[in-house]
Amino acid sequence: QVQLVQSGGGSVQAGGSLRLSCAASGSTFTSTCMFWFRQAPGKEREAVAKIYTVSGNTYYANSVKDRFTISRDSAKKTMYLQMNSLKSEDTAMYYCAAATMCLSGLGAPPSKYTYWGQGTQVTVSS
């Protein structure tokens, strides 16, 4: 059984920073890539950042580029999302995901190859 457990998030004023964590556990699980997605009320879920677990290559949505940084600590099996210069439009539920099959860019992997965290709320007040 693979589990992704998220921590971090919360409420912050615009311009502030938050860091999200996503810890993976489970037997013989090796992901090819990991994502951070977010979903705001009334909007579709969108991928905001992606990292390949071996190469470390990263991809970002234009809306968060130069403000968010995705990283991972392989030894701790933990992925992070450092969010700086937060804006009110960053308010959403954030989910981490790990996939054993990855598409190009920020394309969402097929669901049968993807594991999800429980989600954590990020609220940015202006």
Side-chain angles (χ1 to χ4, degrees), residues 30-45:
T30 302
S31 64
T32 301
C33 59
M34 298 186 74
F35 285 80
W36 287 101
F37 287 84
R38 68 184 181 188
Q39 188 166 21
K43 294 188 177 181
E44 292 189 355
R45 186 178 62 196

Side-chain angles (χ1 to χ4, degrees), residues 38 48-49 58-69 84 87 90 106:
R38 68 184 181 188
V48 297
T58 58
Y59 297 84
Y60 295 94
N62 288 334
S63 58
V64 306
K65 198 173 293 184
D66 299 325
R67 298 188 299 121
F68 290 11
T69 302
N84 298 329
K87 305 175 180 180
D90 295 318
L106 288 174

Side-chain angles (χ1 to χ4, degrees), residues 4-23:
L4 298 178
V5 178
Q6 296 179 223
S7 59
S11 298
V12 67
Q13 289 191 329
S17 298
L18 287 172
R19 189 175 83 155
L20 306 181
S21 300
C22 175

Side-chain angles (χ1 to χ4, degrees), residues 7 60 70 81-82 85 90 95-96:
S7 59
Y60 295 94
I70 188 172
L81 186 67
Q82 178 66 41
S85 302
D90 295 318
Y95 298 91
C96 67

Side-chain angles (χ1 to χ4, degrees), residues 28-122:
T28 61
F29 172 67
T30 302
S31 64
T32 301
C33 59
M34 298 186 74
F35 285 80
W36 287 101
F37 287 84
R38 68 184 181 188
Q39 188 166 21
K43 294 188 177 181
E44 292 189 355
R45 186 178 62 196
E46 63 171 339
V48 297
K50 171 184 175 182
I51 186 167
Y52 280 90
T53 53
V54 174
S55 67
N57 288 346
T58 58
Y59 297 84
Y60 295 94
N62 288 334
S63 58
V64 306
K65 198 173 293 184
D66 299 325
R67 298 188 299 121
F68 290 11
T69 302
I70 188 172
S71 62
R72 87 271 188 255
D73 184 328
S74 299
K76 295 182 179 179
K77 295 185 180 180
T78 301
M79 177 179 66
Y80 305 96
L81 186 67
Q82 178 66 41
M83 304 183 291
N84 298 329
S85 302
L86 282 161
K87 305 175 180 180
S88 58
E89 50 263 45
D90 295 318
T91 295
M93 185 72 78
Y94 283 71
Y95 298 91
C96 67
T100 54
M101 176 183 174
C102 305
L103 304 179
S104 61
L106 288 174
S111 58
K112 67 177 181 180
Y113 298 110
T114 307
Y115 299 90
W116 292 91
Q118 80 276 17
T120 187
Q121 178 69 36
V122 171

